[in-house]
Amino acid sequence: MTIHTSTDLRTTFLFPGQGGYDSDALRMAMEKYPQVQRVFERIDAETMSLFSRRISDVLLGARPTDLRELLDDDAWASQVAIYAAGLAAYEILDAQGVRPDVLVGHSLGEITALVAAGAFSVEDGVRIVAQRVAVIQRQNGVEGRMVALSADADRSRRLLDLLDDPMLAVATENHDEQTVVSGPGKTLDRVIAIAGQLGIGAIEIDAPFPFHTPALAPAVPEFAAYVSKLDQHPLQRLVYSPILQRYYEPDDALADRLAEHFVTPVRFAAAIRHLQAAGVDTFVEAGGRAALSKLVVRLTKGSDVRALPSLTVDGDGGLALDATLRVLRDAGLAGVAGAPGLAELLAPTVPADVFEAYWAEHGDEVLRRIADDLDGFTPEPAGTGRPSAQTPSPGTEATAPAAPAPAAPAPSSPVPSSPVPSSPVPSSPAPSAEAPDRTEIHSELRTLYAEALEYPEEVFEDGVQLEAELGVDSVKQVELLSRASKRYGLPTREAGFRLENYNTMDKIVDFVVAELSGRETVAAG
């Protein structure tokens, strides 16, 4: 990986550490963005293996669970929750076309940043987070807390010097008026008392252990040994470490660097100032709450820097991520970048926001498919009536019946409304020799939809409402209907096709049956 020069940088993702979890915001994101469920499916598999519990059951069950409750639960739950929320936010932003130039993590968030950059798999990220907790728990006598002081790092160190406790340390330097100290609980009680006498505010941080303190030194070698056994991959994105105060290099032994985090402070303020000087003007917080984005606002006050939250509830009770994406699109940092007019060309009747969401999630896949099709495409000789490159080999079923070649050039067909290009097929299917079996098609479609959505087949009864009852959003419905069309070799849908007219299973089955029968489809409104 080539280390960027300062002129290359503009956008940074920030991954929070302790406190970076907002239950309500995560639930809102789960309902709207499919990336959340996909991230949790992968993480659930690991937490089941490690703890016999699915973290999604803990976080997204019938009753909301806040961070304080998670801290009262097993220590791993709060740490995996923060990691999962950060990764989910990253995947949503990435699917929306936001491409960060550099990733930054705050303490625990540095693990999330390295996973997002490709250094470790999502599953290994869970293992690292869980082991980070386990090795600390195995150190007898490690007891302590973390407290935020409303003072700069120098003043905070002078306060700590008064107590002369070697296990007491400055853990994070957030900005000129906030420093987090870490150490034994009894000693921190004295720190809070002295701070009160000096007029320094003190607030306890929601953290299960006294991170970034010499008290954790015995855990360092065990943790490094564990992480060193995991597969480390080349970084696909630039990652800047507020702990190391530098970018990660290709030859870094990440097991050793992550182990050093136990005893080394987080100099977040210095990191933000370095990145701003390097040209970054947009900081997007990828994770719960908005603590880091608020810190950036304070650290860059008076500049034109943007600091944007994601998985937090805004002042109007909505998901802050939605407004953040609008800001990023307006700035040209998100959306269907580089493809002006694409929606008008491929899907003129599909709402712009639906197409943007679809293309952000599936655009790369669609483009790869087109490239693969073109690689193997050989036009048939004139007069064959088949635009497709491939002649089916014996025993292979063609995707659609061939249509006779027109005697003269056909008029331009309507622009297709589906955002999914399909392999070339005739403009209309030839009438079937016999009527298609509706029961058989219903059974096949139930299987197709069930496998794609990971639902039981029995839920796809004729009258079931896909969105209202099963929560299948319009983007996913477009994808599923395109899969069904491909499965039966149906023609590309013409302009005027309205997805809302096919919102139940029976209407989709009727649509497929009608198309296979060569009849014009009429759907109920």
Side-chain angles (χ1 to χ4, degrees):
M1 182 187 69
T2 302
I3 299 300
H4 293 219
T5 64
S6 62
T7 56
D8 293 325
L9 306 182
R10 183 181 179 189
T11 304
T12 291
F13 283 4
L14 304 172
F15 296 92
Q18 303 308 316
Y21 174 74
D22 185 323
S23 174
D24 292 337
L26 183 63
R27 287 170 175 272
M28 291 180 189
M30 182 78 168
E31 293 176 359
K32 185 167 186 179
Y33 298 101
Q35 292 77 24
V36 180
Q37 181 175 345
R38 293 173 190 167
V39 166
F40 272 90
E41 285 172 354
R42 296 182 68 178
I43 294 176
D44 278 343
E46 288 309 307
T47 60
M48 274 296 294
S49 174
L50 294 169
F51 307 107
S52 300
R53 296 172 70 187
R54 288 164 26 107
I55 190 63
S56 62
D57 292 339
V58 178
L59 306 182
L60 300 166
R63 187 180 64 83
T65 305
D66 64 23
L67 188 59
R68 188 69 257 172
E69 289 177 281
L70 292 175
L71 289 167
D72 292 336
D73 197 343
D74 291 336
W76 67 267
S78 67
Q79 305 302 283
V80 173
I82 294 166
Y83 166 75
L87 205 57
Y90 172 81
E91 293 294 342
I92 295 169
L93 290 162
D94 183 69
Q96 296 294 322
V98 188
R99 301 291 181 259
D101 299 306
V102 59
L103 308 179
V104 178
H106 189 292
S107 188
L108 170 65
E110 204 155 312
I111 297 172
T112 320
L114 289 168
V115 170
F120 299 103
S121 68
V122 172
E123 292 79 7
D124 278 349
V126 178
R127 298 184 187 105
I128 293 170
V129 172
Q131 188 68 12
R132 188 173 183 257
V133 171
V135 296
I136 296 174
Q137 289 177 322
R138 285 195 287 270
Q139 305 305 314
N140 294 329
V142 174
E143 177 277 331
R145 309 197 308 273
M146 302 182 77
V147 172
L149 301 176
S150 59
D152 62 26
D154 289 339
R155 192 179 186 195
S156 296
R157 287 191 184 93
R158 289 197 297 271
L159 191 159
L160 300 189
D161 289 342
L162 296 174
L163 299 172
D164 193 26
D165 185 334
M167 296 297 104
L168 197 59
V170 167
T172 67
E173 302 172 19
N174 286 333
H175 60 75
D176 294 340
E177 296 178 9
Q178 187 186 90
T179 303
V180 177
V181 297
S182 185
K186 290 183 178 179
T187 308
L188 283 177
D189 288 339
R190 296 172 63 194
V191 169
I192 293 171
I194 295 172
Q197 293 297 317
L198 298 174
I200 298 173
I203 300 175
E204 187 167 344
I205 298 295
D206 288 333
F209 306 111
F211 293 109
H212 310 290
T213 174
L216 299 184
V220 170
E222 182 182 351
F223 183 72
Y226 177 87
V227 178
S228 68
K229 296 176 183 177
L230 303 176
D231 291 334
Q232 176 181 324
H233 310 287
L235 291 170
Q236 302 302 310
R237 294 193 184 279
L238 198 64
V239 180
Y240 187 85
S241 169
I243 295 175
L244 302 176
Q245 285 294 294
R246 64 170 175 83
Y247 298 100
Y248 278 98
E249 298 287 351
D251 58 352
D252 272 324
L254 296 183
D256 295 334
R257 301 292 80 77
L258 289 174
E260 292 171 7
H261 292 188
F262 283 113
V263 296
T264 311
V266 180
R267 297 179 59 205
F268 184 75
I272 297 304
R273 287 171 177 144
H274 168 84
L275 292 169
Q276 184 185 9
V280 173
D281 60 10
T282 302
F283 293 85
V284 182
E285 185 164 359
R289 295 190 179 175
L292 299 189
S293 48
K294 290 176 182 176
L295 289 177
V296 171
V297 170
R298 299 192 66 166
L299 289 165
T300 61
K301 189 175 181 179
S303 72
D304 58 357
V305 164
R306 285 183 288 255
L308 306 170
S310 58
L311 297 188
T312 191
V313 178
D314 62 23
D316 297 324
L319 183 63
L321 175 60
D322 296 335
T324 287
L325 288 171
R326 287 193 293 271
V327 171
L328 293 171
R329 290 190 188 104
D330 290 345
L333 299 174
V336 191
L342 193 60
E344 290 80 1
L345 176 66
L346 296 178
T349 64
V350 174
D353 59 337
V354 172
F355 182 83
E356 281 196 4
Y358 177 86
W359 190 259
E361 184 174 347
H362 299 288
D364 290 344
E365 174 189 343
V366 171
L367 292 175
R368 282 195 301 271
R369 178 179 171 185
I370 292 173
D372 291 343
D373 285 350
L374 288 173
D375 282 344
F377 182 81
T378 305
E380 290 290 322
T384 64
R386 289 187 63 230
S388 173
Q390 306 296 331
T391 301
S393 57
T396 302
E397 181 182 356
T399 57
S412 299
S413 59
V415 179
S417 64
S418 169
V420 181
S422 58
S423 299
V425 294
S427 59
S428 61
S432 303
E434 58 184 62
D437 187 325
R438 188 185 189 282
T439 301
E440 181 179 347
I441 289 174
H442 187 192
S443 176
E444 291 172 352
L445 286 174
R446 284 176 60 176
T447 300
L448 185 153
Y449 274 56
E451 289 177 351
L453 296 169
E454 298 185 356
Y455 286 174
E457 287 192 21
E458 55 266 23
V459 305
F460 294 100
E461 296 300 331
D462 267 355
V464 66
Q465 296 277 336
L466 294 177
E467 184 162 12
E469 296 182 61
L470 300 182
V472 185
D473 62 31
S474 56
V475 175
K476 194 66 177 178
Q477 289 183 53
V478 169
E479 178 189 344
L480 289 169
L481 198 53
S482 296
R483 288 192 193 185
S485 297
K486 180 181 177 182
R487 164 70 178 79
Y488 294 102
L490 302 183
T492 301
R493 296 187 296 281
E494 297 182 350
F497 180 92
R498 299 185 65 82
L499 182 65
E500 59 265 31
N501 291 338
Y502 302 91
N503 58 349
T504 62
M505 206 66 206
D506 57 324
K507 293 176 183 177
I508 292 170
V509 173
D510 289 342
F511 165 76
V512 172
V513 170
E515 289 291 308
L516 289 175
S517 301
R519 296 183 283 106
E520 182 179 354
T521 305
V522 179

mmCIF file of all heavy atoms in Angstrom, residues 123-142:
data_model
loop_
_atom_site.group_PDB
_atom_site.id
_atom_site.type_symbol
_atom_site.label_atom_id
_atom_site.label_comp_id
_atom_site.label_asym_id
_atom_site.label_seq_id
_atom_site.Cartn_x
_atom_site.Cartn_y
_atom_site.Cartn_z
ATOM 1 N N GLU A 123 -15.017 -11.532 11.379
ATOM 2 C CA GLU A 123 -15.053 -12.548 12.425
ATOM 3 C C GLU A 123 -13.828 -12.478 13.331
ATOM 4 O O GLU A 123 -13.940 -12.582 14.558
ATOM 5 C CB GLU A 123 -15.151 -13.942 11.783
ATOM 6 C CG GLU A 123 -16.468 -14.218 11.082
ATOM 7 C CD GLU A 123 -16.591 -13.583 9.701
ATOM 8 O OE1 GLU A 123 -15.576 -13.006 9.209
ATOM 9 O OE2 GLU A 123 -17.665 -13.645 9.103
ATOM 10 N N ASP A 124 -12.663 -12.277 12.731
ATOM 11 C CA ASP A 124 -11.461 -12.147 13.559
ATOM 12 C C ASP A 124 -11.505 -10.870 14.388
ATOM 13 O O ASP A 124 -10.956 -10.817 15.493
ATOM 14 C CB ASP A 124 -10.207 -12.178 12.691
ATOM 15 C CG ASP A 124 -9.785 -13.597 12.326
ATOM 16 O OD1 ASP A 124 -10.339 -14.545 12.912
ATOM 17 O OD2 ASP A 124 -8.906 -13.747 11.457
ATOM 18 N N GLY A 125 -12.166 -9.852 13.874
ATOM 19 C CA GLY A 125 -12.343 -8.633 14.666
ATOM 20 C C GLY A 125 -13.114 -8.912 15.948
ATOM 21 O O GLY A 125 -12.776 -8.398 17.013
ATOM 22 N N VAL A 126 -14.158 -9.744 15.852
ATOM 23 C CA VAL A 126 -14.911 -10.134 17.052
ATOM 24 C C VAL A 126 -13.995 -10.868 18.019
ATOM 25 O O VAL A 126 -14.010 -10.621 19.232
ATOM 26 C CB VAL A 126 -16.115 -11.031 16.682
ATOM 27 C CG1 VAL A 126 -16.862 -11.461 17.938
ATOM 28 C CG2 VAL A 126 -17.059 -10.309 15.731
ATOM 29 N N ARG A 127 -13.189 -11.777 17.494
ATOM 30 C CA ARG A 127 -12.282 -12.545 18.354
ATOM 31 C C ARG A 127 -11.282 -11.627 19.055
ATOM 32 O O ARG A 127 -10.963 -11.822 20.235
ATOM 33 C CB ARG A 127 -11.550 -13.596 17.514
ATOM 34 C CG ARG A 127 -12.484 -14.622 16.863
ATOM 35 C CD ARG A 127 -11.695 -15.698 16.127
ATOM 36 N NE ARG A 127 -12.599 -16.576 15.388
ATOM 37 C CZ ARG A 127 -12.767 -16.558 14.074
ATOM 38 N NH1 ARG A 127 -12.075 -15.708 13.340
ATOM 39 N NH2 ARG A 127 -13.616 -17.379 13.491
ATOM 40 N N ILE A 128 -10.780 -10.639 18.330
ATOM 41 C CA ILE A 128 -9.811 -9.707 18.924
ATOM 42 C C ILE A 128 -10.470 -8.902 20.045
ATOM 43 O O ILE A 128 -9.904 -8.741 21.133
ATOM 44 C CB ILE A 128 -9.231 -8.774 17.845
ATOM 45 C CG1 ILE A 128 -8.370 -9.576 16.868
ATOM 46 C CG2 ILE A 128 -8.408 -7.654 18.476
ATOM 47 C CD1 ILE A 128 -7.954 -8.800 15.635
ATOM 48 N N VAL A 129 -11.672 -8.390 19.779
ATOM 49 C CA VAL A 129 -12.385 -7.613 20.794
ATOM 50 C C VAL A 129 -12.677 -8.474 22.023
ATOM 51 O O VAL A 129 -12.501 -8.039 23.172
ATOM 52 C CB VAL A 129 -13.693 -7.032 20.212
ATOM 53 C CG1 VAL A 129 -14.543 -6.399 21.310
ATOM 54 C CG2 VAL A 129 -13.382 -6.003 19.126
ATOM 55 N N ALA A 130 -13.128 -9.702 21.788
ATOM 56 C CA ALA A 130 -13.451 -10.595 22.899
ATOM 57 C C ALA A 130 -12.195 -10.961 23.694
ATOM 58 O O ALA A 130 -12.218 -11.010 24.934
ATOM 59 C CB ALA A 130 -14.129 -11.851 22.375
ATOM 60 N N GLN A 131 -11.098 -11.211 23.008
ATOM 61 C CA GLN A 131 -9.861 -11.570 23.690
ATOM 62 C C GLN A 131 -9.292 -10.383 24.466
ATOM 63 O O GLN A 131 -8.681 -10.562 25.530
ATOM 64 C CB GLN A 131 -8.833 -12.071 22.672
ATOM 65 C CG GLN A 131 -7.575 -12.656 23.288
ATOM 66 C CD GLN A 131 -7.822 -13.967 24.023
ATOM 67 O OE1 GLN A 131 -8.896 -14.559 23.894
ATOM 68 N NE2 GLN A 131 -6.855 -14.431 24.788
ATOM 69 N N ARG A 132 -9.511 -9.204 23.960
ATOM 70 C CA ARG A 132 -9.081 -7.993 24.666
ATOM 71 C C ARG A 132 -9.711 -7.931 26.057
ATOM 72 O O ARG A 132 -9.074 -7.527 27.030
ATOM 73 C CB ARG A 132 -9.494 -6.770 23.825
ATOM 74 C CG ARG A 132 -8.983 -5.414 24.288
ATOM 75 C CD ARG A 132 -9.373 -4.403 23.224
ATOM 76 N NE ARG A 132 -8.887 -3.066 23.505
ATOM 77 C CZ ARG A 132 -9.616 -2.068 23.974
ATOM 78 N NH1 ARG A 132 -10.904 -2.296 24.251
ATOM 79 N NH2 ARG A 132 -9.103 -0.877 24.176
ATOM 80 N N VAL A 133 -10.970 -8.341 26.136
ATOM 81 C CA VAL A 133 -11.660 -8.403 27.425
ATOM 82 C C VAL A 133 -11.148 -9.577 28.256
ATOM 83 O O VAL A 133 -10.862 -9.442 29.446
ATOM 84 C CB VAL A 133 -13.187 -8.529 27.206
ATOM 85 C CG1 VAL A 133 -13.901 -8.807 28.524
ATOM 86 C CG2 VAL A 133 -13.744 -7.270 26.549
ATOM 87 N N ALA A 134 -11.009 -10.730 27.612
ATOM 88 C CA ALA A 134 -10.672 -11.953 28.344
ATOM 89 C C ALA A 134 -9.299 -11.878 29.014
ATOM 90 O O ALA A 134 -9.138 -12.299 30.163
ATOM 91 C CB ALA A 134 -10.734 -13.148 27.401
ATOM 92 N N VAL A 135 -8.304 -11.327 28.314
ATOM 93 C CA VAL A 135 -6.958 -11.296 28.906
ATOM 94 C C VAL A 135 -6.908 -10.337 30.092
ATOM 95 O O VAL A 135 -6.156 -10.562 31.048
ATOM 96 C CB VAL A 135 -5.881 -10.926 27.867
ATOM 97 C CG1 VAL A 135 -5.788 -11.978 26.788
ATOM 98 C CG2 VAL A 135 -6.112 -9.554 27.267
ATOM 99 N N ILE A 136 -7.713 -9.285 30.042
ATOM 100 C CA ILE A 136 -7.766 -8.375 31.189
ATOM 101 C C ILE A 136 -8.444 -9.058 32.368
ATOM 102 O O ILE A 136 -7.988 -8.954 33.518
ATOM 103 C CB ILE A 136 -8.493 -7.075 30.812
ATOM 104 C CG1 ILE A 136 -7.706 -6.310 29.742
ATOM 105 C CG2 ILE A 136 -8.707 -6.193 32.045
ATOM 106 C CD1 ILE A 136 -8.414 -5.083 29.203
ATOM 107 N N GLN A 137 -9.519 -9.767 32.091
ATOM 108 C CA GLN A 137 -10.225 -10.461 33.169
ATOM 109 C C GLN A 137 -9.347 -11.514 33.836
ATOM 110 O O GLN A 137 -9.515 -11.807 35.023
ATOM 111 C CB GLN A 137 -11.503 -11.096 32.636
ATOM 112 C CG GLN A 137 -12.593 -10.101 32.274
ATOM 113 C CD GLN A 137 -13.817 -10.764 31.675
ATOM 114 O OE1 GLN A 137 -13.707 -11.720 30.905
ATOM 115 N NE2 GLN A 137 -14.998 -10.256 32.005
ATOM 116 N N ARG A 138 -8.414 -12.061 33.074
ATOM 117 C CA ARG A 138 -7.546 -13.091 33.647
ATOM 118 C C ARG A 138 -6.412 -12.521 34.500
ATOM 119 O O ARG A 138 -5.682 -13.275 35.138
ATOM 120 C CB ARG A 138 -6.972 -13.961 32.528
ATOM 121 C CG ARG A 138 -7.984 -14.948 31.953
ATOM 122 C CD ARG A 138 -7.307 -16.023 31.135
ATOM 123 N NE ARG A 138 -6.829 -15.528 29.851
ATOM 124 C CZ ARG A 138 -7.548 -15.535 28.728
ATOM 125 N NH1 ARG A 138 -8.796 -15.988 28.750
ATOM 126 N NH2 ARG A 138 -7.047 -15.099 27.597
ATOM 127 N N GLN A 139 -6.253 -11.190 34.484
ATOM 128 C CA GLN A 139 -5.224 -10.569 35.323
ATOM 129 C C GLN A 139 -5.813 -10.294 36.700
ATOM 130 O O GLN A 139 -6.628 -9.384 36.874
ATOM 131 C CB GLN A 139 -4.727 -9.265 34.693
ATOM 132 C CG GLN A 139 -4.226 -9.415 33.271
ATOM 133 C CD GLN A 139 -3.143 -10.463 33.139
ATOM 134 O OE1 GLN A 139 -2.211 -10.498 33.933
ATOM 135 N NE2 GLN A 139 -3.268 -11.315 32.127
ATOM 136 N N ASN A 140 -5.425 -11.071 37.670
ATOM 137 C CA ASN A 140 -5.973 -10.920 39.020
ATOM 138 C C ASN A 140 -5.665 -9.526 39.571
ATOM 139 O O ASN A 140 -4.550 -9.036 39.483
ATOM 140 C CB ASN A 140 -5.381 -11.986 39.951
ATOM 141 C CG ASN A 140 -5.808 -13.385 39.551
ATOM 142 O OD1 ASN A 140 -6.907 -13.562 39.025
ATOM 143 N ND2 ASN A 140 -4.949 -14.367 39.787
ATOM 144 N N GLY A 141 -6.656 -8.926 40.150
ATOM 145 C CA GLY A 141 -6.446 -7.653 40.823
ATOM 146 C C GLY A 141 -6.562 -6.428 39.940
ATOM 147 O O GLY A 141 -6.353 -5.320 40.411
ATOM 148 N N VAL A 142 -6.877 -6.588 38.626
ATOM 149 C CA VAL A 142 -7.056 -5.425 37.762
ATOM 150 C C VAL A 142 -8.443 -4.864 38.012
ATOM 151 O O VAL A 142 -9.453 -5.390 37.558
ATOM 152 C CB VAL A 142 -6.882 -5.783 36.271
ATOM 153 C CG1 VAL A 142 -7.214 -4.578 35.401
ATOM 154 C CG2 VAL A 142 -5.463 -6.238 36.012
#
